[in-house]
């Protein structure tokens, strides 16, 4: 039995997904700002590829900062959890 799906329901679902996606993104950005103490310019250049586990500690690796210097910044476990959640939510939005 084919049940027609309302276009309105699809739009509503995509809108909710977008709101949730942005909320997760915003929380992850705030966690990085507070947990790692990085500068505004650094968070603008940050990507999920910078987020790595090095020697058992979650870090933001090879982040280019002030004076074009690369640095690796350890982050707290709570910050890592929010970044993992962000990574999972971005993968779901791309599907």
């Amino acid at each position: 039995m084919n049940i027609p799906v309302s276009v309105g329901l699809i739009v509503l679902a995509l809108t909710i997904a977008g709101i949730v996606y942005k909320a997760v993104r915003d929380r992850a950005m705030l966690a990085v700002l507070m947990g790692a103490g990085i500068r505004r310019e650094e968070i603008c250049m940050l990507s999920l590829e910078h987020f790595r586990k090095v020697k058992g500690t979650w870090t933001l690796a090879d982040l280019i900062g002030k004076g074009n210097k690369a640095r690796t910044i350890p982050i707290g476990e709570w910050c890592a959890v929010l970044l993992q959640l962000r990574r999972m939510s971005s993968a779901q939005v791309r599907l």
Side-chain angles (χ1 to χ4, degrees):
M1 179 169 130
N2 284 339
I3 300 173
V5 178
S6 168
V7 174
L9 287 176
I10 293 172
V11 170
L12 178 63
L14 291 174
T15 302
I16 291 171
I19 291 169
V20 170
Y21 171 75
K22 287 180 181 178
V24 170
R25 179 202 63 196
D26 293 347
R27 285 190 181 127
M29 286 175 58
L30 287 172
V32 170
L33 283 170
M34 293 186 321
I38 65 174
R39 297 172 185 93
R40 289 177 298 171
E41 296 83 19
E42 292 171 330
I43 201 160
C44 291
M45 296 176 5
L46 192 65
S47 69
L48 288 174
E49 285 74 36
H50 289 103
F51 177 58
R52 297 186 204 141
K53 198 165 193 173
V54 177
K55 296 181 184 176
T57 303
W58 287 106
T59 63
L60 296 174
D62 303 326
L63 191 61
I64 305 297
K66 203 172 184 181
N68 285 332
K69 294 180 184 174
R71 60 186 182 141
T72 298
I73 305 164
I75 58 173
E77 193 67 32
W78 64 275
C79 188
V81 168
L82 287 171
L83 283 170
Q84 285 283 51
L85 185 62
R86 164 70 169 101
R87 180 179 276 173
M88 290 185 312
S89 72
S90 67
Q92 289 175 357
V93 168
R94 290 185 193 137
L95 295 178

